[in-house]
Amino acid sequence: MREIEAIQDWKGQDVVDVAEQKVGKLEDVWFRVDGAEPVLISVKSGLLGRKRHLIPLQGSTVTRSFVRVAFREDQISGAPQNDDDDRLSPAELAAVKEFYGVDIDGPADAELESGDARDARIRAAREARAAADKAEQAATSAAEEAREMDERAVLARKDSDDAQRRSEQAAAHATELRRKADEARVPELHTTIPEGVEG
């Protein structure tokens, strides 16, 4: 027989009582919000499947053909029902425990959630983690890009400073050469021919 932990995969399967008398169809599995173990199942029965009885999973097994619970059909038919598709309140859980006379582990004020709600919550959490990982990767890439741009900016400033320094040095050198050229300039000779003197 299959382990009861796999019962979530058997929604829609027949549910039978301890004597293997059919009770109804497995509609959903209920888990503690803070836990991973299944606690109860809800079973559709009656005309058009309008009744949704809650049954503890203690002593239950899953076979190839059906889910077998540890209670009698006549007992299950009077069990508490659930009208909320997603949540089961602590009061509803207490009523189930009292009706069947069983003790279900966990805090008395624990709330249960349906398997569908649990799957949706887990899926949303995974998607949120994936989105967070993607955002972190984007932030890391942006930070790396900013660091590289800063490095390029530092190098560009250094190149600019070096070019400015070379320009200033070239200008100073040109000024010095002009000064030396002025100092070395030979005065022009002016020849004056006196009046009345012909060559």
Side-chain angles (χ1 to χ4, degrees):
M1 291 186 181
R2 298 174 184 270
E3 295 295 330
I4 195 62
E5 285 76 7
I7 195 172
Q8 173 68 3
D9 299 330
W10 287 78
K11 291 175 61 175
Q13 194 76 3
D14 286 340
V15 177
V16 301
D17 70 359
V18 67
E20 297 192 0
Q21 296 297 312
K22 184 175 178 179
V23 176
K25 296 284 187 180
L26 176 61
E27 180 189 40
D28 212 336
V29 183
W30 296 85
F31 299 81
R32 292 191 185 281
V33 174
D34 59 350
E37 300 299 320
V39 177
L40 306 174
I41 58 173
S42 56
V43 178
K44 281 186 176 182
S45 62
L47 184 63
L48 301 178
R50 291 179 178 176
K51 294 182 179 180
R52 303 168 64 191
H53 295 293
L54 296 167
I55 308 173
L57 280 172
Q58 292 174 335
S60 300
T61 53
V62 176
T63 73
R64 185 179 298 275
S65 303
F66 52 75
V67 177
R68 179 166 50 224
V69 296
F71 305 95
R72 302 185 316 276
E73 191 277 334
D74 59 342
Q75 182 181 15
I76 295 169
S77 63
Q81 300 184 46
N82 171 254
D83 297 324
D84 191 327
D85 292 335
D86 294 328
R87 296 285 173 169
L88 193 67
S89 70
E92 289 174 301
L93 177 58
V96 173
K97 291 163 61 176
E98 182 179 357
F99 178 83
Y100 287 99
V102 298
D103 184 24
I104 298 175
D105 294 337
D109 60 348
E111 187 179 50
L112 302 188
E113 63 181 348
S114 69
D116 288 343
R118 179 174 180 268
D119 290 345
R121 178 172 58 83
I122 292 173
R123 184 167 55 253
R126 287 173 178 167
E127 290 173 354
R129 283 194 295 270
D133 290 343
K134 186 176 181 179
E136 288 178 357
Q137 291 174 358
T140 300
S141 297
E144 180 65 19
E145 183 178 355
R147 185 186 64 79
E148 292 176 355
M149 291 178 67
D150 286 343
E151 290 178 352
R152 289 196 295 269
V154 169
L155 292 175
R157 283 194 295 270
K158 182 177 180 300
D159 290 342
S160 176
D161 292 342
D162 289 345
Q164 180 66 27
R165 185 167 51 255
R166 288 193 299 271
S167 174
E168 292 173 354
Q169 290 173 346
H173 184 59
T175 299
E176 178 65 14
L177 290 176
R178 190 175 296 109
R179 184 186 64 78
K180 290 181 177 180
D182 290 342
E183 290 177 352
R185 183 177 298 163
V186 177
E188 295 180 0
L189 295 178
H190 297 281
T191 302
T192 303
I193 300 176
E195 294 183 359
V197 178
E198 295 181 358

